[in-house]
Amino acid sequence: CSRDIAVLHCNKSTALFSLGKWPEAVISAQQSLRWDPEYVKAYYRAGHSLIMLSDTYQAISMFHKGLILLNTSADWSQVADFVAGIFISVNDELYFPPSFRPAYDYIFSSRFDAQIWQVVIERLAQKGMWRSCLLLLSEKKELPANLKVNKLSLKTLFETSGWYGRSEKMQEVADLAKWLISIGAKVETIGVYPLHAVIRLCIK
């Protein structure tokens, strides 16, 4: 019975999130967790609602708690969602909140397999979360040796406005692109004519 009520509150949170009512979505997710503290989806919903409210500290905390519950789960896609959620939370932050380091350490101590990391990186790329990808680049030695990102598109890397305006970031673009290509991303995904994309980037 408790799980059924928790599911109802979580579904309500999902609906409120879709309507852009993020404070109410957080409340409904929290109500879901009061009924069932082990209902993982409520942590996920609370985390994304808190991101929209710019409450990075609590967002990471929610994703971290959910990830701990999922650690032995066979649902690698759900695990990847929570790992990606932690990195999405800090993508636009200049300074990481105190809740980030424990979550970060937990992620890398868990030794997730290549399949999970492939999904994480591809989801970050789809959302244009290139700062988060740079964080992973800095820890590439900790990632599985057989990691491949064959479905990743480099197109948004060359279209993300956040890169423009600081010349020192150009080296970061190059290093990130080289790494992603080395683990399976296709150069052609920059666009039909990659050179044109590079020229547009230089002009900007």
Side-chain angles (χ1 to χ4, degrees):
C1 182
S2 295
R3 172 56 63 94
D4 290 342
I5 297 174
V7 171
L8 287 172
H9 281 295
C10 190
N11 289 344
K12 181 181 178 183
S13 177
T14 302
L16 290 166
F17 182 91
S18 299
L19 293 170
K21 297 182 178 181
W22 301 307
E24 294 91 337
V26 172
I27 292 170
S28 291
Q30 290 170 337
Q31 288 173 336
S32 176
L33 291 170
R34 277 195 285 272
W35 280 98
D36 186 351
E38 295 189 357
Y39 187 50
V40 173
K41 288 185 179 180
Y43 288 101
Y44 180 80
R45 182 51 55 211
H48 276 289
S49 299
L50 287 161
I51 287 175
M52 300 308 295
L53 294 171
S54 300
D55 190 343
T56 306
Y57 181 97
Q58 291 297 334
I60 293 170
S61 179
M62 285 293 176
F63 288 124
H64 188 187
K65 289 175 182 175
L67 188 59
I68 290 171
L69 288 173
L70 276 172
N71 194 23
T72 57
S73 172
D75 188 347
W76 54 265
S77 180
Q78 201 172 23
V79 172
D81 283 337
F82 277 80
V83 175
I86 290 169
F87 284 103
I88 290 168
S89 299
V90 297
N91 187 73
D92 296 324
E93 298 295 321
L94 293 176
Y95 304 100
F96 298 147
S99 58
F100 179 65
R101 192 74 232 185
Y104 191 74
D105 290 342
Y106 179 82
I107 288 170
F108 285 100
S109 66
S110 296
R111 299 294 175 186
F112 296 124
D113 63 26
Q115 191 174 32
I116 289 174
W117 281 113
Q118 174 188 344
V119 175
V120 169
I121 294 172
E122 288 172 354
R123 287 182 184 168
L124 292 176
Q126 287 168 2
K127 294 179 179 292
M129 302 289 169
W130 295 106
R131 290 189 184 94
S132 295
C133 289
L134 283 168
L135 270 178
L136 294 180
L137 172 60
S138 69
E139 296 285 355
K140 66 180 181 180
K141 291 182 180 179
E142 300 297 320
L143 298 174
N146 60 336
L147 175 62
K148 295 294 179 185
V149 290
N150 302 316
K151 297 178 182 178
L152 185 146
S153 172
L154 293 169
K155 194 172 191 300
T156 44
L157 175 61
F158 287 86
E159 293 179 348
T160 303
S161 60
W163 293 114
Y164 310 137
R166 286 177 53 193
S167 58
E168 63 267 26
K169 286 191 176 183
M170 292 299 99
Q171 186 58 49
E172 293 180 348
V173 175
D175 292 341
L176 182 56
K178 283 191 288 186
W179 175 56
L180 294 173
I181 290 168
S182 75
I183 58 174
K186 301 293 187 293
V187 176
E188 306 85 70
T189 61
I190 294 172
V192 179
Y193 303 104
L195 181 60
H196 291 184
V198 173
I199 291 171
R200 284 197 298 273
L201 177 63
C202 291
I203 291 171
K204 288 182 179 181

